[in-house]
Amino acid sequence: MTRPSTADLADVGAGWDPDPRASSSLGAAAYVDPAWQDLERDAVFANSWQWVCHLEAVRSPGDYVATTVAGQPVAVVRDGSGDLRAFSNVCRHRAHEVLSGAGNTRLITCPYHAWVYDLDGTLRGAPHTGDLLGFEPAGICLPAVRVEEFSGFAWVNLDPDAGSLAGSTGVLGDELARWAPDVDGLTHAHRLTYRIASDWKNVVDNFLECYHCPVAHKDFCTLVDMPTYEVGTDGTWSWQYAEAGKEANAAYDVADATVRMQTVWWLWPNTCLLRFPGRGNFMVLQILPDGPGRTYETLDVYLESPEPNEAEWEAIRFLDEVLQVEDIAIVESIQRGMATPGFDHGRIVVEEGRTGRSEHAVHHFHGLLLEAYGRALTATGGGG
C-alpha cells in the first residue's frame, strides 16, 4: 500500500491552526483512506508508550502477560531478580510465539520445538542441536523491548530510544497519585470489549470532549455536575475533571460512593484512564486500530475487590449498555459521514475557560498527530 505523501499531509492538515480558536479538524482523508493506518503503525504506535496491564498481573517472579503492539508480539515478564522485563515474543528458532495470554512460569518454553529461555530472555536449551556447527546458545536471547512501571501499570515502547514515560509526561504521575491514590491496591474485576465500525481517531476525538454530552449523554449529565467540568492539555496528555456523584441521578446508584469526582486522563496516542463516582475504582480504556475504518476497544475495570458489588455492577452496566452504546453510535455515524463528498473538515469549537463544552483537547490531539506524521514522512523522504 502506498503511504501518504507530504502533499497528502498538507491536505489533511490544511485547516489546522496552532491557535485552536482559528483551527479546523483534520481532513477526512486521514480517517477514511487506508493508507494512513499503515503510516500510523510506525509513526504513532511503534514509538509511543502502550499500556499492557496492572502491575498485579506481573508482581511475582515468573508472572507474564503477552500482548501485541503495532503488530509486534511482545511479552512482559517479571524475572527471578524481581526486575520487570519485556521481550519480542517470538522464538529465535522458527518465529513461533513463545508465550500466550497471562500466567506464571519458571522458564519460557516455545510450544513449537521446546526451545527454552530463562526469565531474562537468554536461551537456556535447544533440543537436538549438539551436532550444529557454530551454534552458541549463550549468545542467543529474545530481543529486549523498553518497559516501564508507571502509576501502578506496566507499559512498553518498541522504540529503544524513546524517553521514559514518567520523564516525558511531567506532572501526570503526580495527578494520578492525587486523584487515584489507591490504584496500586485495586484488583482487576471486569473487562468489556467492543468492535467499532469507525477509525480509531474518531473514537479518541469523541473521548476528548464533552461538548456532545448534553445532547448525546443525558443520563451521564445527571451524574456529572457539568458547570464544574474542566478540560486541560499538557504535553502528550490531557485531562478532564468534574464534580460528580453528589446526589441521585439517572445513571447509577451513588448513595454509598466514596469517590465523588469524575477524573479522566488521555495519554498519547490511545490510552484513556478513568475514575468514576463509586467505591475506589480505576478504568483503562485502550483504543486500537482494527483495520481500515475499524477500532477494537478494551475497557478494564479495577475495583477494591475482584467481584463487583451490586452498585458497581449497576455502574458497569451503565457504561456498557448506555454510555458506550451512545458513543459507538456517534463515532460510527461520523465514519459514514466522513466517507461522503459533503465533508472534509469542520471548525474546532473553543469556549473561553476551556470547559467541558470546548474541543481544545481534540485540537491538541490533532496537533500531535500532524507532528508524528511529519516526522515519519521526513524520515522516509516524503512517503509514497
Side-chain angles (χ1 to χ4, degrees):
M1 181 183 297
T2 301
R3 285 192 173 194
S5 66
T6 51
D8 296 324
L9 176 58
D11 286 341
V12 300
W16 191 87
D17 189 280
D19 186 339
R21 297 170 301 175
S23 186
S24 293
S25 59
L26 293 184
Y31 296 80
V32 300
D33 184 343
W36 288 94
Q37 280 211 339
D38 183 50
L39 176 65
E40 288 165 356
R41 182 190 60 211
D42 300 328
V44 175
F45 290 93
N47 58 16
S48 60
W49 286 99
Q50 294 291 305
W51 175 84
V52 177
C53 62
H54 192 290
L55 289 175
E56 72 166 355
V58 286
R59 206 177 296 281
S60 302
D63 285 348
Y64 69 86
V65 173
T67 189
T68 301
V69 177
Q72 305 300 313
V74 174
V76 174
V77 180
R78 183 73 66 178
D79 72 13
S81 300
D83 293 327
L84 192 64
R85 296 178 179 267
F87 312 108
S88 170
N89 188 29
V90 175
C91 183
R92 301 303 303 274
H93 174 221
R94 294 274 297 282
H96 197 287
E97 295 176 359
V98 292
L99 291 170
S100 61
N104 182 277
T105 186
R106 187 173 62 87
L107 296 167
I108 301 171
T109 303
C110 178
Y112 192 15
H113 296 100
W115 281 35
V116 179
Y117 302 84
D118 282 319
L119 297 178
D120 65 1
T122 58
L123 183 65
R124 171 178 282 201
H128 310 297
T129 56
D131 295 333
L132 299 183
L133 300 178
F135 181 72
E136 298 291 341
I140 298 174
C141 62
L142 300 173
V145 171
R146 291 284 305 280
V147 63
E148 189 168 330
E149 301 181 25
F150 177 71
S151 294
F153 297 94
W155 308 73
V156 297
N157 194 322
L158 297 183
D159 181 359
D161 298 320
S164 77
L165 178 56
S168 64
T169 53
V171 300
L172 175 58
D174 294 335
E175 286 295 285
L176 290 168
R178 173 191 176 194
W179 293 107
D182 56 350
V183 67
D184 287 348
L186 300 179
T187 187
H188 193 268
H190 198 64
R191 166 172 271 206
L192 299 167
T193 62
Y194 306 92
R195 301 280 180 181
I196 304 172
S198 189
D199 183 86
W200 72 276
K201 297 184 293 298
N202 275 326
V203 181
V204 174
D205 288 348
N206 184 65
F207 180 87
L208 291 176
E209 50 92 354
C210 216
Y211 183 34
H212 69 284
C213 291
V215 180
H217 301 313
K218 296 189 183 301
D219 289 346
F220 174 77
C221 289
T222 67
L223 173 69
V224 174
D225 184 6
M226 288 301 296
T228 69
Y229 211 109
E230 301 177 4
V231 179
T233 64
D234 188 348
T236 57
W237 59 283
S238 61
W239 50 266
Q240 302 174 47
Y241 298 156
E243 296 178 16
K246 297 189 294 184
E247 56 189 29
N249 62 83
Y252 59 86
D253 182 17
V254 294
D256 296 324
T258 55
V259 175
R260 299 283 182 174
M261 287 285 292
Q262 180 214 347
T263 46
V264 175
W265 301 266
W266 167 80
L267 177 60
W268 164 262
N270 64 315
T271 304
C272 308
L273 310 173
L274 309 91
R275 186 168 169 96
F276 269 42
R279 282 200 307 168
N281 71 92
F282 203 84
M283 289 168 276
V284 181
L285 178 69
Q286 195 171 40
I287 300 166
L288 297 166
D290 193 34
R294 301 198 65 84
T295 297
Y296 177 60
E297 198 175 66
T298 61
L299 178 62
D300 287 277
V301 181
Y302 298 89
L303 300 172
E304 294 178 8
S305 56
E307 180 63 29
N309 63 26
E310 183 176 347
E312 288 164 340
W313 275 124
E314 185 182 350
I316 290 170
R317 285 192 292 271
F318 169 72
L319 290 170
D320 184 35
E321 299 173 11
V322 179
L323 202 57
Q324 282 289 85
V325 170
E326 292 167 345
D327 276 330
I328 290 171
I330 288 169
V331 297
E332 290 186 340
S333 175
I334 291 169
Q335 187 70 26
R336 293 190 297 270
M338 284 186 165
T340 68
F343 182 85
D344 179 39
H345 57 259
R347 282 299 297 265
I348 294 292
V349 174
V350 179
E351 184 176 66
E352 187 175 355
R354 309 295 169 92
T355 70
R357 297 177 297 275
S358 181
E359 296 176 318
H360 55 283
V362 179
H363 172 267
H364 171 246
F365 171 48
H366 292 181
L368 293 173
L369 280 169
L370 291 171
E371 289 178 9
Y373 294 156
R375 285 193 300 268
L377 292 176
T378 298
T380 58

